[in-house]
Amino acid sequence: MTQRYKPNTTVACVIYSQGKFLLVEEVINGQVKFNQPAGHLEANESLIDACSREVLEETGLDIEPQAIVGIYQFSTSDELAFVRYTFCITLDQPIETTPLDSAITRTHWLSREQISELGDQLRSPLVLKSIDDYIQQAGLLDQSPPAIRDLTQKTNAKPCPHHLPLSLLNADYLHTR
């Protein structure tokens, strides 16, 4: 009998402001890696709550995702696979961040070109794929700013108007708190 396929469920958040994306830097097996704020879904936690928690832990920002960029499947080997729910937040301006998680050595606001130049330092191909999907969905390829409406939030977070709305998710995936 073949072993049952059990991918890890993870969340990530593309955070965008003024042509830059927020990435976290961490050391994994002695190598510097860059990723969006991301991590594993915990027991009895919704996808949105997991994403908000990971953003808080890895950047110190207490903000909630506004839309879905995509759902991705990725395997690092025959034994290790992931299903990654990637959300997004658009900010008026880059915010100074302070990681709460000691595994995160620092954060960086980087352009898409700077991120592409990181090459093998990206945690997975999904880092750049998520950013490219965000850019395409937001209509940023022609450098025109997306139309964004104001939200009353703890920070200056804005919705991601051209991305898939959170309402596509069943209510069970939204909040557990």
Side-chain angles (χ1 to χ4, degrees):
M1 183 173 174
T2 56
Q3 188 174 354
R4 187 173 194 177
Y5 179 69
K6 296 180 184 179
N8 291 281
T9 302
T10 61
V11 295
C13 194
V14 172
I15 302 175
Y16 174 82
S17 182
Q18 298 180 2
K20 306 265 182 173
F21 296 90
L22 183 61
L23 293 188
V24 300
E25 178 182 327
E26 55 192 331
V27 178
I28 301 171
N29 299 323
Q31 296 183 340
V32 173
K33 295 290 183 180
F34 294 84
N35 197 6
Q36 281 99 10
H40 292 264
L41 180 69
E42 294 180 358
N44 302 312
E45 184 176 48
S46 75
L47 294 170
I48 299 299
D49 291 344
C51 188
S52 296
R53 174 185 51 76
E54 290 293 345
V55 169
L56 178 62
E57 290 173 0
E58 296 188 1
T59 70
L61 299 177
D62 189 8
I63 52 182
E64 186 172 291
Q66 300 299 321
I68 303 165
V69 174
I71 301 169
Y72 305 89
Q73 188 170 338
F74 175 70
S75 295
T76 60
S77 67
D78 288 341
E79 295 81 32
L80 186 59
F82 300 88
V83 173
R84 183 188 204 230
Y85 293 81
T86 303
F87 298 93
C88 63
I89 298 170
T90 300
L91 301 173
D92 283 334
Q93 58 189 350
I95 297 175
E96 187 173 324
T97 61
T98 305
L100 306 177
D101 183 341
S102 61
I104 304 302
T105 56
R106 61 182 58 98
T107 61
H108 303 270
W109 286 98
L110 302 171
S111 69
R112 193 264 182 224
E113 182 179 333
Q114 291 170 310
I115 294 166
S116 178
E117 290 170 359
L118 293 170
D120 289 342
Q121 287 187 289
L122 296 178
R123 178 99 186 243
S124 82
L126 297 182
V127 176
L128 199 54
K129 172 71 173 138
S130 297
I131 287 170
D132 287 344
D133 287 351
Y134 175 91
I135 289 169
Q136 182 180 20
Q137 293 166 11
L140 296 176
L141 294 175
D142 64 0
Q143 300 304 310
S144 60
I148 297 173
R149 67 179 189 276
D150 291 330
L151 285 182
T152 54
Q153 296 266 327
K154 295 177 188 174
T155 67
N156 58 348
K158 303 286 185 175
C160 303
H162 303 288
H163 297 86
L164 301 172
L166 295 178
S167 61
L168 288 178
L169 294 175
N170 180 300
D172 295 343
Y173 294 102
L174 297 177
H175 290 288
T176 54
R177 327 179 212 164

